[in-house]
Amino acid sequence: MKAVILDTGCANLASLAFAVKRLGVEPLITREAADIRSADRIFLPGVGTAKAAMTALTERGLPELIREAHQPLLGICLGEQLLGRRSEETGGVGLLGLIDADVRQLNAPGLPLPHMGWNRVFPKFESPQAKLLFKNIEPGEWFYFVHSFAMPDGPAAIASCTYGEPFAAAAASENFMGVQFHPERSGKAGARLLANFLGAAA
């Protein structure tokens, strides 16, 4: 199993790498085309703003490599958002266009933003990607979030969560999947999801 964590230049890579290592898989943090193309699984992490992340991806020559990926790819937090079409953050930012959804600020009147902390996630098991990622994870399990923007709970969503309004806790299109929460910070449920994605034992 060759698992690659994309060096996006805008993410805390160490915590994700440690979580993957605990599952018995030694991940490679890289931005090299040959490593990405030969990977069995690809992680796209992200923190910060969509604009900064897309700038960093472009500077590293990663957008086309990501778009060409044929392997299962998992975006995490901002990494999920980057898979969408466009974010309304900072006046509007074009994204990778791999999932047919836009990214919008959460509509959560009376609640603090960012949405930070534990919240319940409900997979949509009619989706094959949800069946993969959430195998042996009960509906309503708790995961850890830190975000102000998200995809809507629309056709691309494979799991939902509510914070003021429903939003996509996970989204997918073909081999491209994303989770808005941080599985590497979500205890046993997060480890189970990462293991499901990797095909490893949790």
Side-chain angles (χ1 to χ4, degrees):
M1 165 66 64
K2 181 177 180 180
V4 158
I5 299 174
L6 295 184
D7 181 2
T8 59
C10 61
N12 177 9
L13 306 176
S15 59
L16 176 58
F18 181 69
V20 172
K21 286 179 185 179
R22 286 194 299 185
L23 296 170
V25 176
E26 188 72 28
L28 176 64
I29 298 173
T30 184
R31 57 186 178 190
E32 296 299 323
D35 290 324
I36 295 166
R37 291 184 176 127
S38 63
D40 298 302
R41 299 288 187 276
I42 300 172
F43 290 96
L44 174 61
V47 296
T49 68
K51 183 176 182 179
M54 286 303 299
T55 298
L57 288 179
T58 301
E59 288 173 350
R60 286 162 170 74
L62 291 175
E64 286 312 309
L65 287 172
I66 295 169
R67 292 185 180 110
E68 293 168 0
H70 57 85
Q71 316 91 320
L73 181 149
L74 182 65
I76 294 176
C77 194
L78 179 61
E80 180 200 35
Q81 296 176 26
L82 296 176
L83 297 174
R85 289 184 309 229
R86 186 168 182 81
S87 173
E88 69 177 22
E89 191 176 3
T90 60
V93 182
L95 304 173
L96 294 168
L98 294 165
I99 293 179
D100 189 21
D102 292 332
V103 175
R104 302 169 185 154
Q105 187 168 1
L106 290 172
N107 180 23
L111 296 172
L113 287 178
H115 168 213
M116 182 181 296
W118 296 86
N119 207 335
R120 301 181 75 191
V121 169
F122 295 88
K124 301 182 180 186
F125 284 116
E126 63 272 20
S127 157
Q129 297 95 334
K131 290 178 182 176
L132 168 69
L133 290 180
F134 294 95
K135 181 181 178 181
N136 296 325
I137 296 174
E138 290 294 321
E141 184 59 83
W142 296 84
F143 289 87
Y144 188 82
F145 291 83
V146 183
H147 67 119
S148 298
F149 292 79
M151 294 180 186
D153 184 20
I158 63 169
S160 65
C161 181
T162 299
Y163 189 75
E165 65 177 353
F167 65 89
S173 177
E174 298 180 346
N175 59 306
F176 298 100
M177 296 166 272
V179 292
Q180 184 57 65
F181 50 83
H182 285 271
E184 76 280 9
R185 298 176 65 183
S186 295
K188 290 182 179 179
R192 176 74 264 172
L193 185 137
L194 291 174
N196 288 341
F197 175 70
L198 291 166

